[in-house]
Amino acid sequence: MPSLPPHRENALRQLIQKLGLPANSSINWPLLDQALTHPSADTAHNYERLEFYGDAVLKLAASRFLYEHYPDASEGDMSVLRDVLVSDRILAEIGDRYNLERYLLLGKSLMHDQTGRLDRIAEATEALIAVLYLSGPHSLQWVQPWLEPHLQTAAQTAQQDPAQHNYKGALQELTQKHVQTLPDYRVFEVGEPSAGKQAATANLRDRFVAEVWLQGKQWGQGSGNSKKAAEQVAAKVAFLALRDELEEKP
Amino acid sequence: MPSLPPHRENALRQLIQKLGLPANSSINWPLLDQALTHPSADTAHNYERLEFYGDAVLKLAASRFLYEHYPDASEGDMSVLRDVLVSDRILAEIGDRYNLERYLLLGKSLMHDQTGRLDRIAEATEALIAVLYLSGPHSLQWVQPWLEPHLQTAAQTAQQDPAQHNYKGALQELTQKHVQTLPDYRVFEVGEPSAGKQAATANLRDRFVAEVWLQGKQWGQGSGNSKKAAEQVAAKVAFLALRDELEEKP
């Protein structure tokens, strides 16, 4: 791979130091350049494949963090928290903390475009995570120490926010407050004849599909390996949709 | 942790050798015992939390495999293949190759129960992957060499099967053959006002939601970070549903 223009490499070295890694870290600089190149700037040499890889690295880092720090949590509780930790919202927050936008090469058409800004930051953050994983000795050695404080903060916030931690409870409060009625959950086991169409939109690996109904309308659907997990996912979807509907209307 | 009964540890040592790891590997035996204990046999000391962890280890191993072996594949193509590689079907195939069922402790009620057998094998295989990851030096060092040949076989099979590799194409052939008409794709960007209800069932991280319509009925829905990826997922769901509907009826 060709070496980078000196001003680009200098900027990227600065970023690596901001992350708390030693300045002489053996980073793969062309790969880091790629991680911080949006497809609009270069259709071939861009962050898309690295984002794919980083998505998996992040999931493992989040799983390891939860497994080690929440020894008494059930698989279902850890899954709900993991969904938060790997969400675009948290990724964009992390990226913004390091001002990643400054380093991200964009096509001209997007330079003054704020739509999709958070998506781009989240995607670039995932790609950055992949580069740290690939530059280090093929383990989480460089990723975990840097990422873990962010995961810890996000997990603590999620646990303090009852809506994020327990969507079923939050949904119940919301519907009682606004429409004085409780949501109805319908759970199907995938493969059961009655699951029929419900299963069609589920994650094909999951065993249960849950639906949330309120006042004759379906507000959310989710799948999971347990009834409880499927209900939590469905409740999350319904909660976010209903909160917008019930609380943000003028 | 208490040590295992000698006959259990002997059986587990046998399994580790079958996996091709050295007999004197420093496996965490109580953890391996836990990975091969179904919740019906022990409500506390069972594989559920390890399955959660192994799910992420497998995703990373599959991502690494695809990133390294498919240097020209797009993010979307890799995502479709990764979905296959981490599927319960492939996991159960791997587990069955090592006769994992023999080592899996089950509650009495399930001992002669064939329903859910493949789910259990898939789940135990994921938990086993977590134990290998955790027993090794916190990297994929013990997982990748053992798992990679299986991933390679699965990826090759998936690529040879046009239905698995390209669900849009397979769906087109299926509908042309049986109903002489082509499916209609509707794609929405999440966050667009028109996406409204469509977005409610999508993976909240994904940017696009696709629906497959045929003869006035929706047959599949999927989400992804590109229109193409969302369409492939929706096509997969629709293909599996329609194939059952059109080809398996007497």
Side-chain angles (χ1 to χ4, degrees):
Chain A
M1 265 193 244
S3 61
L4 299 180
H7 68 275
R8 175 73 166 158
E9 188 169 327
N10 282 342
L12 297 181
R13 274 189 195 277
Q14 222 179 43
L15 172 64
I16 287 300
Q17 282 178 274
K18 274 206 271 180
L19 295 178
L21 292 168
N24 60 354
S25 301
S26 61
I27 297 288
N28 183 333
W29 298 106
L31 206 61
L32 182 56
D33 175 59
Q34 187 176 346
L36 295 167
T37 301
H38 188 265
S40 64
D42 193 323
T43 52
H45 176 85
N46 60 49
Y47 66 47
E48 285 186 326
R49 280 173 49 91
L50 286 164
E51 181 208 344
F52 165 86
Y53 203 143
D55 169 47
V57 175
L58 173 65
K59 184 174 181 177
L60 182 62
S63 304
R64 176 174 158 184
F65 167 76
L66 293 169
Y67 186 85
E68 288 178 356
H69 290 79
Y70 295 78
D72 300 321
S74 71
E75 184 213 353
D77 290 340
M78 289 196 294
S79 293
V80 170
L81 269 178
R82 185 168 66 185
D83 280 350
V84 174
L85 297 186
V86 305
S87 68
D88 270 2
R89 190 173 56 78
I90 297 294
L91 274 166
E93 272 177 31
I94 296 173
D96 272 340
R97 216 162 292 158
Y98 298 101
N99 200 4
L100 221 57
E101 196 171 19
R102 232 198 93 191
Y103 305 92
L104 182 60
L105 303 181
L106 280 184
K108 273 187 188 157
S109 61
L110 287 180
M111 276 186 190
H112 302 286
D113 179 78
Q114 285 299 301
T115 324
R117 194 192 79 88
L118 286 180
D119 286 344
R120 295 195 293 265
I121 304 298
E123 287 161 6
T125 305
E126 276 187 327
L128 168 66
I129 289 171
V131 174
L132 295 182
Y133 180 79
L134 287 165
S135 295
H138 254 298
S139 82
L140 294 174
Q141 206 170 310
W142 284 12
V143 174
Q144 200 84 19
W146 162 74
L147 199 59
E148 197 144 306
H150 299 299
L151 297 178
Q152 193 148 17
T153 308
Q156 280 166 354
T157 309
Q159 284 191 293
Q160 282 155 10
D161 177 354
Q164 285 191 330
H165 188 52
N166 173 13
Y167 280 101
K168 274 187 79 171
L171 179 63
Q172 185 172 325
E173 278 179 39
L174 185 76
T175 57
Q176 275 185 317
K177 181 177 162 199
H178 289 282
V179 293
Q180 291 79 47
T181 175
L182 290 177
D184 185 26
Y185 288 83
R186 301 182 192 165
V187 184
F188 306 88
E189 189 157 358
V190 177
E192 275 180 359
S194 60
K197 264 169 61 191
Q198 285 75 17
T201 52
N203 179 338
L204 293 174
R205 296 194 57 217
D206 289 332
R207 207 160 121 208
F208 295 96
V209 179
E211 297 173 356
V212 179
W213 289 77
L214 185 75
Q215 300 185 322
K217 188 172 163 191
Q218 186 188 314
W219 286 91
Q221 194 187 60
S223 65
N225 276 320
S226 69
K227 287 185 186 182
K228 198 179 148 194
E231 284 179 354
Q232 277 293 349
V233 177
K236 176 179 171 180
V237 175
F239 174 79
L240 295 173
L242 272 163
R243 190 178 53 180
D244 288 352
E245 183 87 9
L246 298 173
E247 301 207 326
E248 287 183 11
K249 270 194 179 158
Chain B
M1 262 192 247
S3 61
L4 298 179
H7 68 275
R8 176 71 167 159
E9 186 168 329
N10 283 340
L12 297 182
R13 275 189 194 277
Q14 223 179 43
L15 171 64
I16 287 299
Q17 282 177 273
K18 274 207 271 180
L19 295 178
L21 291 167
N24 61 353
S25 301
S26 60
I27 297 287
N28 183 333
W29 299 106
L31 206 62
L32 181 57
D33 175 59
Q34 188 176 345
L36 294 166
T37 302
H38 188 265
S40 64
D42 192 323
T43 51
H45 176 86
N46 61 48
Y47 66 46
E48 284 186 329
R49 281 172 48 94
L50 287 164
E51 181 209 343
F52 165 86
Y53 203 142
D55 169 45
V57 176
L58 173 64
K59 183 174 180 177
L60 181 62
S63 304
R64 175 174 159 182
F65 168 76
L66 292 169
Y67 186 84
E68 288 178 355
H69 289 80
Y70 295 78
D72 300 321
S74 71
E75 182 214 353
D77 290 341
M78 289 197 294
S79 292
V80 171
L81 270 177
R82 184 168 67 185
D83 281 350
V84 175
L85 297 186
V86 304
S87 68
D88 271 3
R89 189 173 57 78
I90 297 293
L91 273 167
E93 272 177 33
I94 296 173
D96 272 340
R97 216 162 292 158
Y98 298 101
N99 200 6
L100 220 57
E101 195 170 19
R102 230 197 94 193
Y103 305 92
L104 182 60
L105 303 181
L106 280 184
K108 273 187 187 156
S109 61
L110 287 179
M111 276 186 189
H112 303 285
D113 178 77
Q114 286 299 300
T115 325
R117 193 191 80 87
L118 285 181
D119 285 344
R120 295 195 293 266
I121 305 297
E123 288 161 4
T125 304
E126 275 187 328
L128 168 65
I129 289 171
V131 174
L132 295 182
Y133 180 79
L134 287 165
S135 295
H138 255 295
S139 82
L140 294 173
Q141 206 170 310
W142 285 11
V143 174
Q144 200 85 19
W146 162 74
L147 198 60
E148 197 144 307
H150 298 299
L151 297 179
Q152 192 147 19
T153 308
Q156 279 165 355
T157 309
Q159 284 190 294
Q160 281 156 12
D161 177 351
Q164 284 191 331
H165 188 52
N166 174 13
Y167 279 101
K168 274 188 79 172
L171 179 62
Q172 184 173 326
E173 278 178 40
L174 185 76
T175 58
Q176 275 185 318
K177 181 176 162 198
H178 289 282
V179 292
Q180 292 80 45
T181 175
L182 290 176
D184 185 25
Y185 289 84
R186 300 182 195 167
V187 185
F188 306 88
E189 188 159 357
V190 176
E192 276 180 0
S194 59
K197 263 169 61 190
Q198 285 75 17
T201 53
N203 178 338
L204 293 174
R205 296 196 56 217
D206 290 333
R207 207 160 119 208
F208 294 97
V209 178
E211 297 174 355
V212 178
W213 289 77
L214 185 75
Q215 299 184 324
K217 188 174 163 189
Q218 185 189 314
W219 288 90
Q221 193 188 62
S223 65
N225 276 320
S226 68
K227 288 185 183 184
K228 198 177 149 195
E231 285 179 354
Q232 278 292 350
V233 177
K236 177 178 171 182
V237 175
F239 174 79
L240 295 173
L242 271 163
R243 189 178 56 181
D244 288 352
E245 182 88 9
L246 297 173
E247 300 208 325
E248 288 183 10
K249 271 192 179 160

